[in-house]
């Protein structure tokens, strides 16, 4: 059967309302030749301004046998590269292509709509690659706009014949505010020409609709050209359109630096028109998105904002846009900024650091990283780093509104005198709530958290979490007199001048101990004095870390069937650095998980049947400490109901004749010993660890002890 293609130019309405001539209804027979009309439409932007597709007058296309790997055989091309089969025309806003194919066959189709007045693009049809040339070309050319569609696995005689082409480029605009423009006009000058320097890609794959870029971005210099004639309208506001360029980028990208050059006219005929240079950092660009840099571009270098035109979808990774208009930012990569990022009044923004670093790019005036205006709220989450460069000020975060810090690492620079700065600074009506984060204080600052002196009555700093190096937020040297920034129910743990803020209580009396142990909102109990809890059995039923600081607790041991401390709920309890002498042991049950670190536990009961550790349906881990049963008839471990106990260290003193056997396991319970020292007794009651040591560990006698270690 002969294979052939026939072509017809006809009419189709662009911009979404796409009309097409359908092939006649007929029974589809596989392998039969059938005439099909491809109706080509372009995405609508709705207005006759730069980017409205109005200059697209040609469409080239290629057909391939379909293969899943994209390597299907090239069948035919309809492009300017084949003069005898010239490219299809858009007749104003209309284009239609009629072809004859075989029914039931799968094809890959590539369509490329472009402006014939521009030769910046070429397609390698064999490799299925779009090539973009920036060499010797000019800025502000609407003719550089183009559209593409890749359809894989299209079945002739079965699938739709309507195809919408979308722009593979980002459009980057600079709009000068009319205020700025009018100021310049008063002097008889205005911006007439511009050029741009930026990194972009030169190749894009046409294998599938994903359109992956190929190779690395290259530096692009688009030469000086006249600015766009029509104004740039964003959100109903007109701006003087002084730069407009189409750039091939990855599907979603943040360009580290864009450099614009602007020239005034020369009314005095000096021959040396004024040139302004503007740098913008971390500009978000995305395919088929219009990124607009707007503001007093010339008269005030730092008075600008970046917006995404409403006629394009809004990206979800645009820091500038979220800080201006609200929303969630997932930091897509490490970023550098050349000016403070401002969260505008009335905006609620969330910055998820996402493991990346956001920092200043160069020294400037000022060198603050983020400023949150009054009436705005910024929440900072996740791992990652915010870092301010040294210079003038150099604060990491300034709060005039509300700042909530849940995570991240925060670093400040030095001021212009080389002295340490504040990391987080509250002024005006600023409120700062620190729930987490790491403050390494590399500059040894006393002002890690700081209030403006004149605004102490109206500012708030409240800390309920975080780790601070060389800075105690409970006794902040940034204030005079020193101030406690801790939230109620929080304490500071200090180890080697590193202050960790946790929920907890300082405990000095029996009543304070009892109140803290039952408070589920308190994670830590810090024992500050020796405490006698009496002979009553004291239970802990909330998650707790108890820091004994070497103090003693006496509890239980004098009443029939009375233990000292009990954990009888499904909670995690860690007991550290406590001396428990002469009272009861520890009872662990009902799904509890208890860990013992550096505890001195010497128990003495007045009642029979009591033991040092009684574990039932629960887990006990002993890491270190000194343990001894002081009277006869008691066990070190009594375990029932699938209980598990793990001994990883500690010293267990001589039983002599103090017990019948040191360990009792019943009903699926088990003890595992992988470390520790066990004093050798002179009777049958010695605590010999050998029967509880797993494979890979050994028991050796060293002096009067049997010691367990890894083989």
């Amino acid at each position: 059967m002969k294979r052939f293609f026939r072509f017809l130019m006809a009419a189709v309405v662009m911009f979404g309302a796409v009309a097409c001539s359908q092939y006649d209804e007929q029974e589809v027979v596989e392998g039969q030749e059938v005439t099909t009309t491809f109706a080509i439409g372009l995405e609508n932007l709705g207005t006759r301004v730069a980017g409205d597709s109005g200059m697209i007058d040609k469409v080239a296309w290629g057909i391939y046998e379909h293969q899943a790997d994209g390597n299907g055989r090239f069948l035919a091309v309809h492009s300017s590269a084949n003069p005898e089969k010239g490219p299809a025309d858009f007749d104003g806003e209309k284009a239609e292509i009629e072809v004859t194919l075989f029914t039931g066959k799968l094809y890959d189709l590539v369509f490329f709509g472009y402006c014939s007045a521009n030769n910046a693009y070429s397609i390698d049809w064999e490799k299925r690659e779009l090539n973009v040339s920036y060499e010797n070309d000019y800025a502000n050319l609407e003719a550089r706009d183009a559209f593409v569609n890749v359809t894989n696995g299209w079945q002739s005689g079965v699938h739709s014949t309507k195809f919408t082409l979308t722009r593979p480029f980002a459009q980057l605009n600079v709009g000068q505010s009319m205020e700025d423009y009018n100021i310049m006009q008063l002097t008889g000058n205005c911006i007439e020409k511009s050029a741009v320097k930026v990194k972009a890609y030169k190749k894009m794959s046409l294998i599938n609709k994903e359109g992956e870029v190929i190779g690395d971005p290259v530096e692009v210099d688009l030469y000086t050209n006249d600015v766009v004639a029509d104004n740039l309208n964003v959100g109903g506001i007109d701006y003087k359109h002084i730069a407009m360029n189409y750039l091939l980028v990855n599907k979603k990208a943040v360009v580290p630096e864009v450099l614009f050059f602007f020239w005034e006219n020369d009314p005095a005929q000096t021959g040396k028109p004024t040139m302004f240079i503007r740098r913008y950092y971390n500009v978000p660009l995305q395919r088929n998105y219009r990124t607009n840099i707007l503001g007093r571009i010339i008269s005030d270098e730092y008075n600008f904002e970046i917006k995404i035109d409403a006629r394009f979808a809004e990206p979800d990774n645009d820091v500038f846009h979220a800080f201006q208009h609200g929303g969630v930012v997932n930091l897509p990569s490490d970023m550098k900024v050349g000016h403070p990022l401002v969260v505008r009044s009335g905006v609620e923004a969330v910055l998820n650091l996402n493991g990346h670093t956001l920092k200043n790019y160069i020294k400037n005036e000022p060198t603050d990283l983020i400023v949150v205006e009054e009436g705005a709220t910024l929440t900072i989450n996740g791992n990652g780093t915010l870092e301010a460069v040294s210079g003038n000020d150099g604060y990491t975060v300034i709060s005039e509104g509300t700042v909530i810090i849940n995570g991240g690492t925060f670093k400040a620079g030095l001021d212009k005198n080389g002295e340490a700065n504040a990391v987080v600074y509250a002024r005006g009506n600023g409120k700062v709530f620190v729930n987490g984060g790491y403050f390494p204080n590399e500059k040894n600052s006393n002002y890690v958290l700081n209030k403006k002196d004149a605004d102490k009555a109206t500012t708030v700093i409240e800390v309920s979490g975080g780790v601070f190096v060389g800075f105690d937020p409970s006794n902040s040297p940034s204030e005079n007199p020193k101030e406690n920034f801790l939230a109620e129910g929080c304490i500071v743990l200090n180890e080697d001048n590193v202050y960790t803020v946790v929920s907890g209580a300082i405990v000095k009396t029996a009543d304070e101990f009892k109140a803290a142990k039952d408070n589920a909102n308190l994670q830590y109990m810090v024992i500050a004095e020796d405490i006698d809890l009496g002979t009553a059995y004291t239970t802990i039923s909330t998650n707790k870390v108890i820091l004994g600081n070497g103090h003693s607790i006496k509890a239980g041991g004098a009443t029939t069937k009375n233990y000292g401390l009990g954990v009888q709920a499904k909670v995690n309890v860690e007991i550290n650095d406590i001396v428990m002498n002469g009272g009861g042991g520890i009872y662990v049950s009902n799904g509890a998980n208890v860990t013992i670190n550096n505890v001195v536990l010497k128990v003495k009961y007045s009642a029979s049947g009591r033991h040092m550790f009684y574990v039932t349906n629960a887990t006990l881990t002993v890491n270190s400490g000194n343990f001894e049963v002081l009277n006869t008839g008691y066990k070190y471990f009594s375990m029932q109901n699938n209980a598990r106990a793990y001994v990883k260290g500690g010293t267990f003193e001589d039983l002599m004749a103090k017990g019948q056997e040191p360990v009792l396991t019943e009903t699926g319970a088990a003890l595992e010993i992988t470390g520790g020292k066990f004093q050798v007794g002179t009777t049958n009651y010695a605590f010999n660890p050998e029967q509880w040591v797993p494979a890979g560990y050994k028991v050796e006698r060293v002096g009067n002890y049997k010691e367990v270690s890894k083989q």
Side-chain angles (χ1 to χ4, degrees):
M1 180 178 295
K2 182 180 178 182
R3 177 174 298 165
F4 64 93
F5 299 85
R6 293 190 293 117
F7 314 102
L8 172 67
M9 311 311 169
V12 61
V13 179
M14 296 195 309
F15 309 130
V18 181
C20 67
S21 300
Q22 300 285 352
Y23 54 81
D24 295 335
E25 294 293 333
Q26 53 187 298
E27 182 181 358
V28 176
V29 179
E30 187 169 349
Q32 174 181 314
E33 290 179 339
V34 62
T35 300
T36 301
T37 300
F38 292 153
I40 311 301
L42 306 183
E43 275 199 333
N44 178 29
L45 298 182
T47 59
R48 302 296 296 175
V49 295
D52 70 354
S53 318
M55 295 193 70
I56 305 301
D57 61 351
K58 299 290 183 180
V59 59
W61 55 268
I63 297 179
Y64 303 80
E65 289 182 342
H66 172 68
Q67 287 187 8
D69 60 4
N71 292 319
R73 186 164 60 94
F74 179 46
L75 299 178
V77 65
H78 188 137
S79 73
S80 55
N82 279 347
E84 72 279 7
K85 301 176 182 177
D89 292 322
F90 279 105
D91 182 11
E93 297 182 352
K94 305 170 184 178
E96 195 172 81
I97 301 171
E98 187 178 274
V99 299
T100 299
L101 299 172
F102 293 99
T103 58
K105 298 290 185 180
L106 296 180
Y107 298 95
D108 289 347
L109 309 175
V110 175
F111 300 97
F112 182 66
Y114 62 100
C115 173
S116 59
N118 184 269
N119 59 1
Y121 309 118
S122 63
I123 295 179
D124 186 324
W125 294 99
E126 294 287 348
K127 293 182 178 180
R128 292 171 69 171
E129 292 178 358
L130 170 65
N131 299 295
V132 182
S133 172
Y134 300 100
E135 287 78 11
N136 303 316
D137 213 342
Y138 294 89
N140 308 326
L141 287 180
E142 178 61 28
R144 290 187 65 92
D145 200 5
F147 289 75
V148 70
N149 174 285
V150 178
T151 298
N152 298 105
W154 183 84
Q155 187 171 8
S156 176
V158 177
H159 286 179
S160 167
T161 58
K162 296 182 180 181
F163 300 91
T164 299
L165 278 60
T166 59
R167 181 182 289 105
F169 307 108
Q171 188 190 86
L172 175 60
N173 301 290
V174 178
Q176 181 186 17
S177 72
M178 287 305 178
E179 177 187 14
D180 207 34
Y181 174 69
N182 292 334
I183 291 173
M184 295 192 69
Q185 274 197 318
L186 292 176
T187 65
N189 295 337
C190 61
I191 299 299
E192 287 194 341
K193 296 180 181 295
S194 68
V196 66
K197 180 182 288 187
V198 65
K199 282 194 173 183
Y201 289 87
K202 296 183 67 175
K203 287 180 179 288
M204 185 182 82
S205 171
L206 299 176
I207 296 293
N208 53 50
K209 65 180 181 179
E210 297 301 321
E212 300 293 341
V213 290
I214 299 171
D216 297 321
V218 299
E219 189 164 276
V220 172
D221 286 293
L222 292 175
Y223 294 163
T224 306
N225 199 11
D226 293 339
V227 301
V228 182
D230 295 323
N231 288 337
L232 175 64
N233 187 280
V234 180
I237 300 174
D238 277 337
Y239 297 84
K240 187 63 178 175
H241 204 169
I242 59 176
M244 184 281 301
N245 294 282
Y246 293 100
L247 303 168
L248 180 62
V249 298
N250 217 334
K251 286 170 284 186
K252 188 177 289 188
V254 176
V255 178
E257 181 181 52
V258 182
L259 185 63
F260 286 100
F261 304 86
F262 302 109
W263 281 266
E264 292 179 344
N265 62 357
D266 188 18
Q269 300 298 311
T270 64
K272 296 180 180 180
T274 303
M275 182 176 72
F276 299 91
I277 300 175
R278 294 291 180 260
R279 285 181 171 87
Y280 300 101
Y281 302 99
N282 303 301
V283 177
L285 295 177
Q286 188 170 340
R287 291 183 191 172
N288 209 32
Y289 283 51
R290 174 179 287 164
T291 298
N292 301 313
I293 302 175
L294 308 169
R296 298 175 61 180
I297 302 301
I298 304 303
S299 63
D300 187 347
E301 182 175 357
Y302 296 108
N303 192 339
F304 73 93
E305 61 180 336
I306 296 182
K307 290 186 176 180
I308 306 301
D309 196 300
R311 287 166 294 189
F312 290 75
E314 293 185 359
D316 60 9
N317 66 348
D318 179 0
V319 175
F320 296 94
H321 187 268
F323 281 16
Q324 300 284 330
H325 305 286
V328 177
V329 179
N330 295 307
L331 201 62
S333 62
D334 292 348
M335 297 176 61
K336 296 179 181 179
V337 294
H339 56 85
L341 296 176
V342 178
V343 184
R344 299 296 184 193
S345 180
V347 165
E348 292 187 10
V350 177
L351 175 59
N352 295 324
L353 297 174
N354 206 25
H356 297 299
T357 296
L358 178 64
K359 65 187 296 185
N360 299 77
Y361 187 75
I362 56 174
K363 292 183 179 180
N364 55 69
E365 299 284 338
T367 53
D368 308 315
L369 183 61
I370 296 176
V371 178
V372 180
E373 292 185 341
E374 184 171 359
T377 299
L378 174 65
T379 301
I380 302 171
N381 298 323
N383 295 321
T385 300
L386 296 178
E387 182 174 353
V389 72
S390 296
N392 183 17
D393 293 344
Y395 300 160
T396 310
V397 180
I398 295 177
S399 177
E400 298 166 353
T402 300
V403 173
I404 302 169
I405 297 174
N406 296 323
T409 297
F410 296 81
K411 299 180 180 181
L414 299 173
D415 66 16
K416 59 186 177 182
N417 298 318
E419 297 180 355
N421 271 324
V423 180
V424 180
Y425 185 61
R427 69 188 183 196
N429 293 307
K431 296 177 175 60
V432 176
F433 301 95
V434 182
N435 303 316
Y438 177 57
F439 299 79
N441 196 12
E442 295 171 345
K443 312 299 183 183
N444 296 317
S445 175
N446 286 328
Y447 304 94
V448 172
L449 304 178
N450 188 20
K451 295 180 177 181
K452 185 177 180 179
D453 289 343
D455 299 333
K456 288 184 181 296
T458 56
T459 51
V460 173
I461 296 179
E462 185 175 283
V463 182
S464 57
V467 177
F468 301 81
V469 177
F471 177 86
D472 182 359
S474 70
N475 191 31
S476 174
S478 64
E479 312 305 313
N480 187 15
K482 293 181 179 181
E483 187 170 341
N484 181 8
F485 289 147
L486 297 186
E488 184 177 356
C490 290
I491 59 174
V492 166
L493 307 179
N494 178 14
E495 184 174 356
D496 296 329
N497 209 31
V498 176
Y499 298 85
T500 302
V501 179
V502 297
S503 61
I506 306 297
V507 176
K508 296 182 179 180
T509 68
D511 288 340
E512 289 176 348
F513 185 98
K514 293 173 183 177
K517 74 179 180 64
D518 294 327
N519 188 339
N521 295 321
L522 301 180
Q523 181 184 3
Y524 283 79
M525 294 170 56
V526 179
I527 311 301
E529 301 284 351
D530 293 347
I531 296 174
D532 189 345
L533 296 173
T535 59
Y537 173 53
T538 301
T539 61
I540 300 171
S541 58
T542 61
N543 292 317
K544 283 290 176 291
V545 176
I546 300 175
L547 303 179
N549 294 316
H551 292 291
S552 67
I553 292 180
K554 186 175 181 181
T559 306
T560 303
K561 297 183 179 181
N562 190 358
Y563 282 90
L565 294 179
V567 184
Q568 294 181 274
K570 196 173 183 179
V571 294
N572 297 312
V573 173
E574 185 177 314
I575 304 174
N576 305 275
D577 303 312
I578 287 180
V579 177
M580 299 177 64
N581 276 334
I586 298 177
Y587 188 104
V588 186
S589 65
N590 297 328
N593 184 4
V594 174
T595 301
I596 303 294
N597 297 308
N598 195 30
V599 171
V600 176
L601 181 56
K602 298 188 177 184
V603 298
K604 184 175 183 179
Y605 296 103
S606 60
S608 61
R610 303 299 93 196
H611 313 285
M612 176 172 282
F613 295 111
Y614 186 94
V615 188
T616 175
N617 189 31
T619 301
L620 170 71
T621 301
V622 178
N623 290 319
S624 58
N626 189 279
F627 308 98
E628 185 176 1
V629 173
L630 298 176
N631 51 353
T632 60
Y634 305 102
K635 298 177 176 60
Y636 277 59
F637 295 90
S638 181
M639 304 169 57
Q640 302 178 30
N641 300 319
N642 297 310
R644 291 292 182 271
Y646 303 93
V647 176
K648 300 180 180 181
T651 300
F652 292 80
E653 301 295 347
D654 183 12
L655 287 176
M656 302 299 286
K658 297 174 184 174
Q660 299 168 327
E661 59 185 50
V663 177
L664 174 65
T665 56
E666 297 180 335
T667 322
L671 170 67
E672 180 181 277
I673 300 177
T674 57
K677 297 169 58 178
F678 302 84
Q679 191 172 2
V680 178
T682 58
T683 69
N684 294 331
Y685 307 125
F687 191 167
N688 188 340
E690 292 180 357
Q691 70 182 93
W692 298 287
V693 173
Y697 290 83
K698 62 183 179 181
V699 179
E700 294 179 307
R701 179 161 181 163
V702 180
N704 290 328
Y705 291 89
K706 286 190 175 181
E707 297 186 5
V708 179
S709 61
K710 196 169 185 178
Q711 288 182 341

